[in-house]
Structure formats: C-alpha cells, structure tokens
Amino acid sequence: MPSQAGFTIRGCIQAAECTGEGTEVDLDKNMKILIVDDFSTMRRIIKNLLRDLGFTNTAEADDGTTALPMLQSGSFDFLVTDWNMPGMTGIELLRAVRADERLKQLPVLMVTAEAKRDQIIEAAQAGVNGYVVKPFTAQVLKEKIEKIFERVNG
Amino acid sequence: MEHDDSQVGDFESTLKSNAHQLLESLERGNFGDAVQVINELNKVRDRGLYHEVGKLTRELHSAIVNFQLDPRLPHATEVSQITDATERLNYVVTMTEDAANRTMDLVEQSAPLVNDIRTEAQSLSADWGRFMRREMGAEDFRELAKRVELFLVNSERDSGKLSGHLNDILLAQDYQDLTGQVIKRVTQLVTEVESNLLKLMLMATQVDRYAGIEHDQEALRAEKQQEKNPSQGEGPQIHADKLDDVAASQDDVDDLLSSLGF
C-alpha cells in the first residue's frame, strides 16, 4: 500500500497545499484538540498532520488515565485517541467521556491499529464519532475530521 | 516416539491379557491369584510411568541448558537467551523510535524552508507580472531586482540545506537493516523454543497415558477464549485481508460504520 502514511509523513506538508482543494468545510482552526497515544512518535505524526490542516492548538497525553483529568479541566473541543494503551485504554476513555455530564458531547475520533469488526462496532456503540485505522493517510484524517464537524455543526 | 508407542503398546497388551486372567481368577474365587495379577499390572504401569517421567525430566533439563534459562548453570553465559531476546527487541523499539524522531525532526526543519521559497516565489511572480505588463515604475523595478537577487541567494542556500536534510532522512532509514537482523534472530529463537515445547508436550502426553490423566481440552480452550478480551486491544492485524472478522482497509471500516448508521 504505497499511499499509506504508516510511520512516514506523506501528502501535504504545508497548510496551503492541504486546504487548497476540494470542498471546504468551515472549521474553527483554534479549537483545542487533545491527542492521546502511548507512542510519542504517533502523537508527533498526528500533531504534525493536524498542524498541516491548520490546527495548532493541541495538547498530548499518553493514555486514558492522564487524558481524562486533562479533559475534565481543560475545555477541549476535540479528542483524538488510540485504542490500545497501558493504564486506561481508548475505549475506556471514550466510555468515561460519554458518562461525564460535562464531556458527553465532546467529538471523539479513534485512530487505532485495532481493526476487528467487533471492536469497530463496540466503539460505535460506545459513541465514537469517527474511526481511522492505522496506517492512515493525511487525506483520510482530514476527511474524517471534516465529516465529524459537518455533523456536529449541522 | 516409536519406542514410546511400543512401550505403551506393551502396557496395554499386558493390561488386556491380565484382565482376562484377573476375571478368571475372580470367577474361580481365587483371590490370592487376583491380587497377584493386580500387583503385576501395577508394576508394569509404574515402570512405564517412571521411565516416561524420567525422560521428560531429562528433556526439561536439556531445554533449560539449551536456552540458558538458569543463570546458575555452569554453561550459562551472562544472560539467558530469553532475556537476551527481550533486550534485543527493546533495542529494536529504541532504534525505530529514534529513526522516526530523527526523520520527523528533519521534516519539521525542512517544511518552513520550502514554505518560504514558495511564498517568496509567489510574491515575486506577481510583481514580475506587473513588470512584464509595464505596470511598474523604475523605483519599484530596482526594488524588485534587489528582491530577485536576494531570492536567488536564499534559494541556493536553502536548497542546499534541504538536500542535506533529504540525505539525512535517507540515512535515518538504516535502522531497517539492523533491526531486521535482530528480529530474524529472535524469530529463530522463538521457533526453536516452540518446537522444544512441542516435544516436551508430546512426552508429557505419554506420562498422562500411563497415569490415566485426561485434560478437558474444550474447557481449556474456553478459558483461553475468555482471557482474550477485545476491549483490551489486540494490536495490528497481520493478515487483515484474509480474516473475515477484521476490516481490511479504511473503506471496510467506513462501510461497516455506515451500515450502523454513521
């Protein structure tokens, strides 16, 4: 699969290239995004891709246990989380978010290597807003984020 | 294993023939003879059992020596092969992480250079157009000429830097060769351990036959299945395209989600 990003950053590097094509969705580029993944390299890839899409207001956490208090006190607008992490997993974090009165409306995108149908269904039932399987491309990430906010705003 | 089969075969034929004798003795009311037969049977069974347990123990011992599992053994080098394999895999994790970070550092350093070149080229292009359409005065042109000169100098310098970064990105991929070698060696060890475990298991089966122990395979499998909790995550699927219960691509995931009303 030569078009997959995997561990190298492909596609657009700069914002002008990424946003200059296709239908534009009007997204708040200042929204505060929390990136949760136990691998620092993957957090860095996602952070870079988000920056290329124009989102620079990001924070990072390495698992659900550290992410949840950040979410509860940090007025985040969007959560991007991995599934398989030590401590608290992404699916547990998603359930905790949906169970929290103040956080339950938070849009959540899962970016994970977990690809079993049962798991995708489980995430959907737990209330995930989007699901991206690794390895992924910059384009897929962009599409899913746009789709999520099209629904949230629409 | 042929030898073991014939041993167990011996035991079974002895058991069969003695069973008749035992029954006959009992029918004739000859209890002394019956007890004698039972003793004889026990002796044959015990001999076989001790023999098999002995072999199993020897094999276990040689497996421990082979894999240098016990650091107290005289043959053991500083670390056991399993500990060594663990360290090797940790080395792979570190190397791949370093390479990924090195590559991303260079990409992050390159991006602004490319961006600057593009922005300035766009701006110069617009002014050049004005000049070609004779919309530019002499003063503006002198300004433009200075900017073009600066752009040429900067472009040369920055493209030099970029080509250096590209070279370094290329070199950062050398981890593939080194980690590949390490992983191949660990894979070899795992295969070796597996075949030895299988051998031990087959030997243990002989012991079970003499001892009359049966394992509930169904229950064991069910127990294993229960331990596999998909909520905990399984990591990347290696044969995603061959497995029915796995989404092979992002399109598969999207189809599944849209079938669920997403």
Side-chain angles (χ1 to χ4, degrees):
Chain A
M1 284 181 278
S3 66
Q4 300 284 51
F7 288 94
T8 58
I9 301 175
R10 272 179 176 271
C12 43
I13 302 294
Q14 289 301 309
E17 204 171 83
C18 309
T19 50
E21 54 183 308
T23 50
E24 267 317 294
V25 180
D26 199 16
L27 293 177
D28 174 15
K29 301 288 183 187
N30 284 321
M31 70 173 170
K32 201 168 166 191
I33 306 173
L34 183 64
I35 304 162
V36 190
D37 199 307
D38 53 333
F39 275 84
S40 65
T41 43
M42 190 39 80
R43 291 201 300 273
R44 205 171 158 188
I45 289 173
I46 294 173
K47 194 177 150 186
N48 269 293
L49 292 175
L50 287 173
R51 200 184 45 216
D52 290 342
L53 295 174
F55 304 104
T56 49
N57 193 4
T58 54
E60 298 175 31
D62 60 4
D63 83 326
T65 324
T66 45
L68 194 56
M70 286 173 81
L71 290 169
Q72 282 163 340
S73 61
S75 69
F76 282 93
D77 304 299
F78 187 33
L79 169 64
V80 180
T81 182
D82 184 21
W83 182 311
N84 197 357
M85 294 178 288
M88 190 188 212
T89 64
I91 191 82
E92 288 162 350
L93 176 63
L94 172 63
R95 291 204 179 96
V97 164
R98 291 290 174 256
D100 187 307
E101 199 52 43
R102 286 190 306 139
L103 295 175
K104 65 179 181 191
Q105 300 294 336
L106 181 73
V108 179
L109 175 67
M110 207 152 226
V111 179
T112 174
E114 304 299 327
K116 284 208 147 185
R117 285 172 183 279
D118 289 349
Q119 292 176 305
I120 298 163
I121 294 168
E122 190 181 347
Q125 283 166 347
V128 82
N129 299 81
Y131 200 102
V132 172
V133 281
K134 294 176 189 171
F136 60 96
T137 62
Q139 188 57 32
V140 165
L141 188 69
K142 182 180 181 242
E143 275 170 25
K144 300 306 162 201
I145 293 174
E146 283 174 356
K147 202 169 165 199
I148 288 172
F149 285 96
E150 238 170 89
R151 281 160 189 269
V152 168
N153 299 330
Chain B
M1 288 295 127
E2 238 171 78
H3 178 66
D4 293 320
D5 276 349
S6 71
Q7 278 238 331
V8 176
D10 277 355
F11 173 55
E12 277 165 359
S13 62
T14 315
L15 185 61
K16 237 186 239 168
S17 66
N18 284 17
H20 289 298
Q21 221 182 315
L22 181 62
L23 207 62
E24 258 173 47
S25 308
L26 285 174
E27 272 165 1
R28 272 181 299 170
N30 201 340
F31 288 101
D33 274 3
V35 171
Q36 202 61 43
V37 171
I38 291 172
N39 278 341
E40 186 59 35
L41 270 175
N42 262 339
K43 240 190 270 169
V44 174
R45 176 178 169 276
D46 286 352
R47 215 183 305 130
L49 189 58
Y50 291 143
H51 180 76
E52 289 302 327
V53 169
K55 272 196 342 196
L56 185 61
T57 316
R58 260 199 312 283
E59 273 305 312
L60 262 175
H61 183 79
S62 77
I64 287 169
V65 172
N66 278 344
F67 292 114
Q68 299 157 7
L69 291 175
D70 187 349
R72 289 165 306 180
L73 288 173
H75 315 280
T77 46
E78 318 86 67
V79 285
S80 79
Q81 282 189 47
I82 301 292
T83 312
D84 184 49
T86 314
E87 276 166 15
R88 282 166 186 273
L89 289 179
N90 279 333
Y91 167 78
V92 170
V93 172
T94 314
M95 275 212 104
T96 50
E97 189 182 340
D98 287 350
N101 279 321
R102 175 102 189 96
T103 305
M104 283 189 281
D105 284 344
L106 291 159
V107 169
E108 282 171 15
Q109 286 164 28
S110 304
L113 298 178
V114 177
N115 203 32
D116 286 352
I117 292 175
R118 177 170 42 206
T119 317
E120 187 58 10
Q122 272 168 355
S123 156
L124 284 175
S125 213
D127 286 344
W128 188 255
R130 284 209 299 135
F131 166 70
M132 290 300 274
R133 292 192 300 274
R134 298 170 198 282
E135 295 165 8
M136 188 175 277
E139 190 54 40
D140 280 354
F141 180 72
R142 267 193 290 279
E143 187 62 32
L144 177 62
K146 261 189 241 162
R147 278 178 56 209
V148 168
E149 197 182 356
L150 187 66
F151 178 70
L152 292 175
V153 172
N154 286 350
S155 296
E156 195 182 343
R157 185 198 59 206
D158 291 347
S159 55
K161 273 193 210 165
L162 280 173
S163 117
H165 290 172
L166 288 176
N167 224 355
D168 289 347
I169 287 174
L170 192 74
L171 287 175
Q173 314 309 310
D174 65 353
Y175 74 90
Q176 169 61 33
D177 169 37
L178 302 170
T179 57
Q181 289 182 40
V182 169
I183 290 174
K184 268 188 195 150
R185 290 192 60 164
V186 174
T187 312
Q188 232 170 31
L189 177 69
V190 171
T191 316
E192 227 176 291
V193 170
E194 190 191 22
S195 78
N196 274 282
L197 273 178
L198 195 68
K199 218 162 102 190
L200 285 174
M201 202 205 73
L202 286 172
M203 290 190 148
T205 314
Q206 297 298 331
V207 175
D208 286 347
R209 280 179 78 177
Y210 278 105
I213 300 167
E214 271 180 34
H215 300 284
D216 189 346
Q217 299 292 345
E218 283 295 309
L220 275 174
R221 255 192 287 274
E223 204 176 301
K224 274 270 161 254
Q225 200 58 39
Q226 211 152 35
E227 280 171 20
K228 260 196 181 176
N229 179 2
S231 284
Q232 279 308 312
E234 299 188 7
Q237 298 288 341
I238 308 298
H239 294 299
D241 49 340
K242 291 182 196 132
L243 297 169
D244 283 345
D245 59 344
V246 171
S249 65
Q250 184 65 41
D251 286 344
D252 268 11
V253 175
D254 294 348
D255 288 349
L256 179 59
L257 285 176
S258 73
S259 77
L260 294 167
F262 264 72

